[in-house]
Amino acid sequence: MSSLKLALCVIAIGFVAGCTAYREVPPAKKQEIGGIFRVEPASSWSALKTGRGEIWTVDGFGLERLAFITNVADGSPLLSQSQSKEAPTFHKDMTATDVVDLYEAMLTSNGYSQIKVVNLRPHSISGQDAFRFDYSGFDDKGLAKRGMVVALIDAEKGLNLALYEAAEEHYFEAYKIDAEKVLGSLEKI
């Protein structure tokens, strides 16, 4: 096989594989995520499964996204692809403030800068104690981002996060109401 044909085959396989990874998340249909959360979106999203949850978007992950990071076990990093020994890790005895610090460390390790975390407050998911916080910062490309995070520490399922992050200019406000509806619909399974 010529190198041109081989290259075209590899590209075609990449396109086919890339197309099958996304799925539609229809509005008003409850979605189960990671065996811990159930949510009900108010609008359509596109979803991609990750090693430790799902990411939803409308216009693209770099512009806005809802992310669900689930089942983070004691001693594990937030992101399953973190192979670095210095990757910040979750510990089951962490407080809300510790988890905020862990999340900020994860953002920093992914190239974020000038991170400000504000408004740490109690929250409840299906009667279980949880907490929320908001943040802002600049991603590794210098784009200003804003986000809001709901966190639940579960004795069996570890740390679980549901978050909305978007580019501060236009996108954060454009999808904030829809994101709040998803975060507000969080139920523990």
Side-chain angles (χ1 to χ4, degrees), residues 2-128:
S2 75
S3 59
L4 177 60
K5 283 183 183 178
L6 179 61
L8 289 174
C9 285
V10 169
I11 291 169
I13 289 169
F15 279 129
V16 170
C19 292
T20 60
Y22 292 90
R23 68 175 179 85
E24 180 187 0
V25 178
K29 184 176 179 207
K30 290 193 176 192
Q31 305 289 314
E32 290 190 7
I33 299 168
I36 184 86
F37 290 138
R38 183 178 298 119
V39 297
E40 186 173 344
S43 59
S44 292
W45 296 77
S46 294
L48 176 67
K49 285 200 180 287
T50 66
R52 196 169 271 142
E54 290 187 18
I55 305 173
W56 298 3
T57 189
V58 176
D59 293 319
F61 299 124
L63 299 174
E64 98 295 313
R65 65 178 163 226
L66 278 164
F68 304 91
I69 303 170
T70 57
N71 304 303
V72 180
D74 186 42
S76 297
L78 280 180
L79 302 177
S80 58
Q81 70 267 23
S82 296
Q83 302 299 322
S84 167
K85 290 189 180 194
E86 290 95 36
T89 57
F90 167 70
H91 298 284
K92 64 183 177 186
D93 61 348
M94 286 183 145
T95 65
T97 303
D98 294 333
V99 171
V100 168
D101 291 344
L102 174 67
Y103 190 79
E104 186 174 355
M106 185 265 308
L107 290 174
T108 300
S109 72
N110 283 304
Y112 279 57
S113 62
Q114 299 179 39
I115 302 161
K116 286 186 182 179
V117 176
V118 296
N119 204 13
L120 173 60
R121 60 209 180 270
H123 190 75
S124 179
I125 299 173
S126 300
Q128 189 168 343

Side-chain angles (χ1 to χ4, degrees), residues 110-113 138-143:
N110 283 304
Y112 279 57
S113 62
F138 293 87
D139 71 8
D140 61 338
K141 295 174 180 56
L143 183 62

Side-chain angles (χ1 to χ4, degrees), residues 122-179:
H123 190 75
S124 179
I125 299 173
S126 300
Q128 189 168 343
D129 288 341
F131 54 94
R132 263 186 96 140
F133 60 93
D134 304 316
Y135 68 93
S136 62
F138 293 87
D139 71 8
D140 61 338
K141 295 174 180 56
L143 183 62
K145 297 281 185 104
R146 285 177 58 196
M148 44 195 183
V149 179
V150 176
L152 171 70
I153 300 173
D154 183 79
E156 295 176 17
K157 304 268 186 171
L159 177 62
N160 300 277
L161 305 175
L163 63 104
Y164 169 63
E165 180 185 273
E168 187 171 18
E169 188 172 329
H170 175 70
Y171 291 93
F172 186 81
E173 291 298 329
Y175 294 103
K176 182 180 178 184
I177 291 172
D178 287 345

